[in-house]
Amino acid sequence: MGPVLAGVLQLLALIGALALAYIPLGTYMAKVYSSDRHWRVEKWIYKGIGANPDTEMRWPAYLRGLLAFSVAGVLFLYLLQRLQGVLPLSLGFKSIGPDQAFNTAASFVTNTNWQSYYGEQAMGHVVQTAGLAVQNFVSAAVGIAVAVALVRGFARSRTGELGNFWADMVRGVVRILLPGAFVAAIVLVACGVIQNFSGIHEVGQFMGGQQQWNGGAVASQEAIKEFGTNGGGYFNANSAHPFENPTPFTNLFEIFLLLVIPFSLTRTFGVMVGSVKQGYAILATMATIWVGFVALMMWTEFAHHGPALQIAGGAMEGKEVRFGVGSSSIFAVSTTLTSTGAVDSFHSSFTGLGGGITMLGMMLGEIAPGGVGSGLYGMLVMAIIAVFIAGLMVGRTPEYLGKKIGTREIKLAACYILITPALVLVFTALAMALPTPAHSMTNSGAHGFSEILYAYTSGANNNGSAFAGLNADTQWFNTTIGLAMLLGRFLPMVFVLALAGSLAEQKPVPATAGTLRTEKPLFTGLLVGVILIITGLTYFPALALGPLAEGLAA
């Protein structure tokens, strides 16, 4: 079997598995967030944190709860790292420095999981499990909660109430993420992923000499890092490491995990607004972009530019021979079109155009299908922009799901789509203009610029992957990327929740003959075009200086 055919068959198998999970998981999540009943364990949690889960919140109160919880998470994780040297099971590792501790705390609380450290050489078992793994669950639950609040904004009328943040967050962890990650961890352990609390071992190398390896609760963290679209690896090599991802099956299974909730949330959306066809329209938009990006990535990485690549069957530099070009291409596109950041190959070693595809995937806003929750609410904001443009073309007040898109709504949507590009481009410009950050670049020219652009794109979009040629463990990058992650996560949430509150207060508008049918393929095509055009206009100059210049020069 040729490598191209193998890649296509893996893609088809993945699509089939996602299709089988779509309806049951999406419908189940809709029931989770629509139920009035609380599980006993949830009541214990509410009592412990002093929250009343039955109190309805308007968007400012919902936002305050979200921000208070996230600030507490940043402070706790920061202190845990700073105290690591005196904690048990630290494996002899010293406490993390202030700038790196801030960067890591901001990273995991924002669901980014950017890592400027070597996991197996810096973090002990307590920080990994009580700190990083816990944030993998709760940061993902926060993203789903914001998406559900926006869906309620469309579904409800004549009220500004969006539900209860504490109930939504706890249910996301207890009823969705914990059970799913538990099952996934069992599968991974059965397939060879390690799960232990062993210390550091000396192991022999093929070429002679010794190397140190430590164990860890890898399978449990690997499961939630993919299932919650987090991405932080236990080891520096991330999902290219055989302890995290030992076989081609586990590789495909991990891709499935990072895609299944974001895609299935479109079903949740359709059920909660009372029209599953609306969910299918959003699903079709996400799937069109994802499949298109996978096809482009396979084409660029299988293209044979010389005898070495012809013999290897594609651009194998930086890719695991266990997985090959096809599977690595699917993983790279899936991880950058979601807010995952896990990698089974090194994106810096991709072809110039291939690296550009990974960057463009993040620049779209990670909405195809995006991170857990963040992908859905990002896509719904783009849908609002699309119906607004359609309304301008026909001279009609735009409507979406029975809600008028007026001045307030379009201003909030515009702020949402502008904040992340502003962070990416401003921080990239500063890093290129100042002498100190430029010293961290391993490469010069177009690829060196791409390293910087990729880092801030990954941080501000809460992805977490990186071009490995950049030394990001400096005070400048730890601080500025940390700020980009925090602002890129929480400022958009402010606009999304304000938008949800505005929509929930409206009176439904009955559909007429002139209403744009947003469940039809025509709207899906319009939405895909709007996403690509807005992103292209925003980032094209920067892409032209980096990956496009590098790809065309090759």
Side-chain angles (χ1 to χ4, degrees), residues 23-38:
I23 291 178
L25 179 57
T27 304
Y28 171 73
M29 289 191 290
K31 291 180 180 178
V32 166
Y33 292 106
S34 302
S35 173
D36 295 328
R37 296 182 59 190
H38 305 297

Side-chain angles (χ1 to χ4, degrees), residues 113-136:
N113 297 59
W114 170 274
Q115 294 172 288
S116 62
Y117 58 88
Y118 295 91
E120 65 268 40
Q121 299 177 16
M123 301 294 182
H125 293 321
V126 172
V127 175
Q128 288 276 17
T129 54
L132 307 186
V134 168
Q135 287 301 322
N136 282 346

Side-chain angles (χ1 to χ4, degrees), residues 266-267 269-280 401 519:
T266 61
R267 171 77 179 186
F269 161 69
V271 171
M272 292 183 70
V273 298
S275 174
V276 293
K277 291 183 178 180
Q278 296 288 346
Y280 284 130
L401 299 178
E519 78 281 8

Side-chain angles (χ1 to χ4, degrees), residues 470-483:
L470 179 70
N471 174 26
D473 187 15
T474 66
Q475 190 172 28
W476 166 269
F477 282 112
N478 279 332
T479 303
T480 56
I481 294 176
L483 291 173

Side-chain angles (χ1 to χ4, degrees), residues 374-395:
S374 60
L376 178 61
Y377 66 66
M379 182 60 80
L380 292 178
V381 170
M382 294 304 301
I384 288 173
I385 298 292
V387 296
F388 175 74
I389 292 174
L392 290 179
M393 290 191 291
V394 299

Side-chain angles (χ1 to χ4, degrees), residues 304-330:
H304 299 163
H305 300 296
L309 296 181
Q310 290 177 355
I311 294 172
M316 281 297 297
E317 180 188 341
K319 298 181 178 67
E320 262 291 333
V321 294
R322 291 174 295 147
F323 309 138
V325 173
S327 189
S328 297
S329 297
I330 300 170

Side-chain angles (χ1 to χ4, degrees), residues 271-302:
V271 171
M272 292 183 70
V273 298
S275 174
V276 293
K277 291 183 178 180
Q278 296 288 346
Y280 284 130
I282 299 298
L283 172 67
T285 304
M286 292 177 172
T288 298
I289 296 174
W290 176 67
V291 171
F293 270 54
V294 170
L296 283 174
M297 182 65 83
M298 284 191 178
W299 174 73
T300 60
E301 298 305 302
F302 275 121

